[in-house]
Amino acid sequence: MNFNHLFRKKSVSQILKSLDSNTNAHESLSKQLKVRDLTSFGIAAIIGAGIFSTIGKASADGGPAVVFLFIFTAIACGFAAFAYAEFASMVPVSGSAYTYSYVAFGELFAWIIGWALIMEYAVGNIVVAISWSDYFVSLLKIIKIPALGIHGINVPEWATMDYFTARNGYQEALNLINQGAELTADMRAKYNAWSLAPTIGNFHIIVDIPALAIIVLITALVYRGIKETRNASNIMVVIKLCVVLLVIVVGAFYVDVSNWHPFAPNGISGVLKGVSAVFFAYIGFDAISTTAEECKNPQRDLPRGMMYAIIICTVLYILIALVLTGMVSYKELNVGDPLAFVFEKLHLNKLSGLIAVSAVVAMSSVILVFQMGQPRIWMSMSKDGLLPKKFSHIHPKFKTPGYSTIITGFVVAIPVFFMDLSTVADICSIGTLFAFTLVCAGVIKLQSDPNAPERKFKTPYFNSKYIMPALLLLTIVLMLIFNKAGFSNFFKIQQLKEKTEILSVLDENDHYEFLKAVTQEQVLNPEWFKNPNITQTILEHFDNDEIQHYFEKSNIEKGKYMISGWTVFKHQIPYWVFIIISCWVTVQCFKKSYSLIPVLGALSCLYMMSELGIANWIGFTIWLIVGLIIYFGYSMKNSKLNTQSNS
């Protein structure tokens, strides 16, 4: 094997020449999009499951201070958007980050990025489809048409979730019932889904039917044509923007500023817990770049569309977060439908119903954009020979990548049978962040290359020579001032287990010992004793240092609440990777005066990757290994660059 072949690059002239030849051969996509349409696609992709679902968990963890996480994430995405815009102005084709990496780093990295983007678009759509299903089922329950005898439409639980969620939830529910604990509504639904599902022999038929239905419908629309997709997206964007603005305006009258105190109840660590959820709320702006070949003026309009979409959505996210945390206490927001929840709590049921309708529309638009983006990535990879030729087939009538669109529908639909929301969301985020990091690194490489091709848009240059070392020192100082506990805990060889993990191993005597240790120093709220599991209530209200203190005062075995050694260190590996790379990049900035914006973009995305945990890194690594097996088994020898060099 010639390892130099792994890093063979496509030149911009080659790409543009191939694009022109396809146009002459009537194999091109239909050019329909302007900057307004691109901005609309960006908003359609960004405002979806994030604002209607995951924002609740992020707000519960970080309190009102979650707005700072939205700002930080927006800045990080803005840095990445600059990098995307620079590449898009230079290489106006549908491959997005895949094609950009082919130009900057070579074929192997291009394949890795293309493979990782499946996690953003296809896997991301699994998340959105599941969230869409939850909102749609909730919406059906509030439909009342007395004339027709309809007082809410109830979909059986076995038709609203995946197989493994129901099976595992059933086992957890049985354990709680045996302990005499009361089941939550969510746990009751999982219990019913498994116990009431139709069966074939011993196999329980459990499938999220609404999620499958929306995937099929959206795939059919995307297959039909870009003009139809654009029109549907524009209509849905107008609807959801109107509702989001209505929520902000009406909610502002119900804000109680006392709910904003304390502003950061769980400190910086609490705010950063929401990184995955908040970043997921921004995923999608880069999908605009996959439509480059369908833009009338991609080199001018793509950069504008990305920036406009990020700015508009950031403003709306910050306002929504402030309104939500002002209307109710942040402690109550850890729900799947936070916007609808707060208005129901304030007895504004009509507005709650309107939000449910808007959420269904909003998430439909996200599925639409992602289902549109993935086939165009595969089409570009197929044109380069890295995937079978069938993937680049353009429908003669609809002018869309028809075969790739159908395959995307299957890739998104099949996992809905067995994957749950939380698992897929983090996998999607880590794949996207990896792509963002490499695109930013690609701009750094281009800007330091005197022979780099010309591009119509360039990321503004700020010399990082002295700024990066200063920022590194400032970050360390701020950590020591504002997050001293987190900073010192990072170097400890022993740490408290996750609260759910602790609860799973405590026996009846342990609960008694822990309660005895707490009551010797604390006067507990009488309401807490109404909960069958008082320990769980205490753990939810105390911070980790207090919890560890009371466990150490009790006679409970230390292994039940503490972890140490490799078990602690393995969770720190992503952070050490980030720290080492940050130090190395800072040294390179001092030596080579790199451009500041793409450097900050790459490091901020890498930092968000480090917050996703070792389990997601392992999953992502396995995904990449599978991709590399396919590359070395098929793509490398079938690459057009390989066949050209051989001939």
Side-chain angles (χ1 to χ4, degrees), residues 355-375:
I355 290 168
V357 174
S358 175
V360 169
V361 173
M363 293 185 202
S364 300
S365 69
V366 177
I367 299 171
L368 182 73
V369 176
F370 280 20
Q371 287 296 95
M372 177 186 67
Q374 182 62 70

Side-chain angles (χ1 to χ4, degrees), residues 78 106 109 117 154-155 169 186 218 230 271 295 324 333 342 387 418 463 467 491 525 550 557 574 606 610 625 628 632:
F109 278 99
L117 285 175
N154 291 303
V155 181
D186 179 60
I218 293 294
R230 177 199 65 189
V271 174
C295 297
L324 282 182
L333 288 174
V342 295
L387 288 176
F418 57 86
N463 193 336
I467 298 177
F491 297 98
N525 186 335
Y550 292 125
E557 181 186 339
L606 185 61
S610 71
I625 290 171
L628 289 173
F632 288 111

Side-chain angles (χ1 to χ4, degrees), residues 277-294:
V278 169
F279 178 73
F280 187 76
Y282 279 94
I283 286 178
F285 76 86
D286 57 309
I288 300 173
S289 63
T290 66
T291 65
E293 291 178 40
E294 290 146 297

Side-chain angles (χ1 to χ4, degrees), residues 138 141 157 160-161 165 169-170 173 176 181-193 334-337 341:
S138 299
K141 290 178 181 177
E157 283 91 347
T160 63
M161 66 182 71
T165 294
Y170 176 78
L176 290 172
E182 187 176 342
L183 297 183
T184 63
D186 179 60
M187 194 61 69
R188 174 67 62 183
K190 294 173 183 176
Y191 179 85
N192 290 339
N334 190 11
V335 293
D337 53 349
F341 167 78

Side-chain angles (χ1 to χ4, degrees), residues 5-114:
H5 289 177
L6 300 178
F7 305 102
R8 53 197 172 199
K9 301 176 184 178
K10 289 187 73 174
S11 68
V12 176
S13 59
Q14 282 178 307
I15 295 170
L16 298 179
K17 184 178 178 181
S18 174
L19 188 62
D20 289 339
S21 65
N22 286 340
T23 302
N24 296 332
H26 304 289
E27 296 175 356
S28 63
L29 301 170
S30 177
K31 293 185 179 294
Q32 298 284 342
L33 306 178
K34 298 179 180 178
V35 66
R36 179 187 61 189
D37 304 312
L38 294 170
T39 304
S40 178
F41 274 138
I43 296 171
I46 296 171
I47 296 183
I51 200 166
F52 287 99
S53 180
T54 56
I55 191 175
K57 175 69 166 60
S59 298
D61 288 333
V66 75
V67 296
F68 294 123
L69 188 54
F70 278 112
I71 294 170
F72 167 73
T73 308
I75 292 171
C77 289
F79 291 152
F82 270 115
Y84 269 89
E86 182 163 340
F87 272 114
S89 71
M90 179 179 66
V91 192
V93 295
S94 296
S96 183
Y98 157 75
T99 304
Y100 307 158
S101 296
Y102 220 144
V103 172
F105 299 113
E107 187 171 282
L108 179 61
F109 278 99
W111 169 264
I112 290 172
I113 283 291

